[in-house]
Amino acid sequence: MIILVLTLHFGFLAYLVVGGFLAWRWPRTVWLHLAAAAWGVTVVAARLACPLTYAEHWARQRAGETGVRQGFIDRYIEGVIYPERYAVLAQALVAVLVLVSWVGLFHRLRAARPPQPRRRLRWRASR
């Protein structure tokens, strides 16, 4: 159960980072990525604990382990992928990647749309 929760958590974070680029291939998934990004911003801004973190703590206690005092990112990402002192920079880079992916998606969708024919205005001659 712990492995499942950790896999889901890591998958969510990976999708948060690259999901906008996946929407370049599958544009309808952008709504799912918008929801994931909104949740990510909310968790960081409001300093909320993710429900998957609660699920991990619960699974560890059921397995006879003590609950972990840290969240998923604090325990498995910070200090492993990047040093803890660069946490704010890492969050900013993720935000930039997400914005770049959305801007790229917007441009791809706009370029893929066929040009609309111009309508000629027909003026009626007054009688």
Side-chain angles (χ1 to χ4, degrees), residues 20-78:
F21 295 106
L22 292 175
W24 289 17
R25 175 70 173 97
W26 299 286
R28 291 182 183 181
T29 65
V30 73
W31 299 109
L32 182 60
H33 191 255
L34 285 169
W39 176 253
V41 168
T42 302
V43 166
V44 170
R47 298 185 186 266
L48 298 175
C50 179
L52 289 172
T53 301
Y54 287 122
E56 179 190 352
H57 293 281
W58 174 82
R60 287 188 182 281
Q61 289 174 346
R62 297 268 310 194
E65 298 179 24
T66 60
V68 181
R69 299 283 182 236
Q70 299 170 310
F72 180 83
I73 292 175
D74 298 333
R75 182 174 171 95
Y76 300 106
I77 306 293
E78 281 183 4

Side-chain angles (χ1 to χ4, degrees), residues 77-99:
I77 306 293
E78 281 183 4
V80 176
I81 295 178
Y82 59 87
E84 187 177 338
R85 66 181 179 268
Y86 294 127
V88 173
L89 178 61
Q91 291 171 352
L93 286 174
V94 167
V96 167
L97 274 174
V98 168
L99 290 175

Side-chain angles (χ1 to χ4, degrees), residues 123-127:
W123 297 94
R124 286 186 158 175
S126 53
R127 294 184 185 189

